[in-house]
Amino acid sequence: MTQQTWDELGGALPNDQFRAASDAIVANIEEVIEGKTATVRLALAVLLAEGHLLIEDVPGVGKTKLAKALARSIDCSVRRIQFTPDLLPSDVTGVSVYNQETHDFEFRPGAVFANLVVGDEINRASPKTQSALLECMEERQVTVDGVTYELQTPFMVIATQNPIEMEGTYPLPEAQRDRFTARIAMGYPDAGAELAMLDVHAGVDPLHELRPVADAATVRKLIATVRDVHVADAVKQYAVDLVTATRESPDLRLGASPRATLQLLRTARAVAALEGRDYVLPDDLQALAVPVLAHRVISTADAQLSRRTTDAIISDLVHRLPLPHERQRQQRSEYDTRPPSGEGTGRSQYEPRRR
C-alpha cells in the first residue's frame, strides 16, 4: 500500500484537538444511530486505522444508515454502489471509452474513485465484480488497461451484507474478507433507544439533515496522529501470540494472516487515541480480537457441527492466552504511563519516548 508522508497527511494533532474532532464525528453519527456508541466509535477507529469495514447483520437494524452517516459526517467525496447480480467490474473501477474527437481512448473513473465508498449488499454481486475491489482495498490504486491510477487519501470501503437471506447471493471469498479490517454487527437497539428512535425518525429521516463536521484534511491529520501512538514491544509480541493462537487452534482449519496482525495493531492504535491515550494496552487487543479476527478464520467441521461460531472460538482464545508477563508480575500495570502517586516522575518502560 502506498504510504503518504507526514507533510501530505498534515502532521499529528495535539491531544485536545484530536479529541474534539473525533468526538464531533461520533456525536454527529449518533444523531442518526441511537444507542450504539461502541459500534460508532469502532467504525471511526477503522477509518483512522486506514482500513475497511464490513457491517454484517439482519435487515432493518441500520447497517446502511451507519455507513452513510459516517460518510456524510466528513466533507469529502462519497460514492454509493448498490451491488446487484448484473453489476460489472467496470462499474466499480471505471472503463476506457473511445473519444471520436481526439481519436483516442480516455478513462472514465468508476464509483471506487472517492474517499468513502459505501457498498450496499456486497454479497449480491458476482465473484467477478467483487474481485474488482481487491486491488483498491489493499493497494489504494486501480489498474485499468495497464494504467495504474492512485486513489485519494483517506480511502475507505464500507460494505454491508445480510447473513440471513442467502438466496441469490455470492459469499465473499477469504481473500476479500481478509481485506476488511473489522466486521461488526449492529444488533437490535435496547428498548429506550428504540423508543427514542420512534420520536426522531417517525416524522423525518435525520440522515437528510446531517451536515459534515470534519473534512478530508482533518481526517488525514487524525490518521497521522494515530500513526504516532506508541506500541510497546511486549504489546507487539502479545498481538503476534494472539494471531498465532488462531493458527494453532484445533477448532480452526484456517487461522488469521499476517495482514490480520498488522491491522489488529493499527486498529488498536486508533482505539487508544480515541480514548485519549498515546499508548496501546493489551486490553485494546483483547477488545478488538473478535471484530478484527473472527471473519478471517474458518472453523473445522467438528466446530461447525457443535455450532461453535468463529466469534466464540476467538473469544475463548483471548481468555486462555496469558497476558504479557511484565503485566502479570506487577500489581500496577506497566502499560499505564501516568506516574504513580508518591513515586515522583518515574516512567514505565512501555511509555512512549517524549521528543
Side-chain angles (χ1 to χ4, degrees):
M1 182 178 67
T2 303
Q3 294 290 340
Q4 298 220 340
T5 64
W6 288 96
D7 292 338
E8 290 173 317
L9 285 175
L13 290 174
N15 184 61
D16 56 341
Q17 294 183 24
F18 181 95
R19 291 297 300 273
S22 59
D23 289 348
I25 296 174
V26 171
N28 203 50
I29 298 174
E30 289 187 316
E31 294 291 326
V32 178
I33 306 295
E34 286 90 3
K36 297 292 180 181
T37 301
T39 302
V40 170
R41 293 179 71 85
L42 180 55
L44 178 58
V46 172
L47 170 64
L48 301 185
E50 302 173 84
H52 309 286
L53 183 65
L54 178 62
I55 309 175
E56 186 178 279
D57 212 327
V58 298
V61 293
K63 300 187 298 295
T64 306
K65 277 193 179 295
L66 172 61
K68 294 175 73 173
L70 175 59
R72 293 194 180 189
S73 296
I74 302 168
D75 188 14
C76 57
S77 57
V78 179
R79 300 291 294 273
R80 182 181 184 274
I81 309 174
Q82 181 64 56
F83 282 84
T84 56
D86 60 348
L87 190 72
L88 298 176
S90 58
D91 297 328
V92 177
T93 59
V95 64
S96 295
V97 179
Y98 184 74
N99 190 326
Q100 294 184 355
E101 294 182 357
T102 62
H103 302 287
D104 198 3
F105 286 91
E106 61 181 27
F107 179 66
R108 300 284 179 85
V112 79
F113 283 84
N115 292 115
L116 293 178
V117 179
V118 180
D120 200 15
E121 298 282 359
I122 187 174
N123 57 335
R124 294 200 175 277
S126 66
K128 182 178 180 180
T129 302
Q130 291 178 9
S131 64
L133 289 171
L134 294 178
E135 181 184 12
C136 64
M137 290 178 67
E138 176 63 19
E139 302 174 50
R140 290 338 194 241
Q141 65 183 29
V142 173
T143 302
V144 178
D145 295 333
V147 180
T148 299
Y149 304 90
E150 297 290 335
L151 297 176
Q152 307 173 53
T153 300
F155 174 73
M156 181 184 188
V157 174
I158 310 174
T160 70
Q161 70 173 357
N162 174 11
I164 303 300
E165 185 184 354
M166 300 305 294
E167 293 184 7
T169 64
Y170 304 87
L172 295 180
E174 284 73 19
Q176 185 153 13
R177 296 177 73 89
D178 194 50
R179 280 166 167 78
F180 283 101
T181 300
R183 180 192 64 181
I184 63 174
M186 297 294 295
Y188 293 112
D190 56 39
E194 194 162 6
L195 184 61
M197 181 187 68
L198 296 179
D199 293 332
V200 176
H201 293 252
V204 63
D205 188 352
L207 191 62
H208 296 158
E209 306 296 327
L210 208 62
R211 295 292 179 265
V213 293
D215 54 18
T218 301
V219 174
R220 285 193 287 268
K221 292 179 182 179
L222 295 176
I223 291 173
T225 307
V226 167
R227 287 186 181 183
D228 205 28
V229 172
H230 174 72
V231 184
D233 292 338
V235 177
K236 295 177 183 177
Q237 184 61 54
Y238 181 65
V240 172
D241 292 344
L242 189 58
V243 174
T244 302
T246 67
R247 301 166 190 165
E248 300 173 349
S249 172
D251 294 322
L252 299 173
R253 62 184 177 92
L254 177 66
S257 66
R259 183 193 287 123
T261 313
L262 182 61
Q263 294 189 350
L264 177 64
L265 210 57
R266 286 179 176 173
T267 313
R269 279 192 170 107
V271 167
L274 290 174
E275 293 184 357
R277 287 183 276 110
D278 59 355
Y279 58 94
V280 174
L281 294 172
D283 308 70
D284 299 326
L285 301 181
Q286 290 182 324
L288 291 169
V290 171
V292 174
L293 301 180
H295 66 288
R296 306 170 187 270
V297 300
I298 300 178
S299 56
T300 61
D302 290 341
Q304 293 175 13
L305 287 174
S306 61
R307 298 190 176 183
R308 294 197 67 200
T309 64
T310 55
D311 291 37
I313 295 171
I314 295 298
S315 181
D316 183 56
L317 289 177
V318 169
H319 285 94
R320 287 192 288 131
L321 188 68
L323 288 168
H325 64 281
E326 289 88 352
R327 182 169 183 175
Q328 291 179 324
R329 286 204 307 262
Q330 304 292 331
Q331 292 183 351
R332 177 178 173 272
S333 172
E334 291 286 348
Y335 302 88
D336 191 346
T337 64
R338 294 170 298 180
S341 57
E343 295 185 18
T345 58
R347 290 175 174 171
S348 164
Q349 60 176 311
Y350 303 101
E351 186 180 14
R353 297 184 180 91
R354 306 297 180 185
R355 293 186 178 91

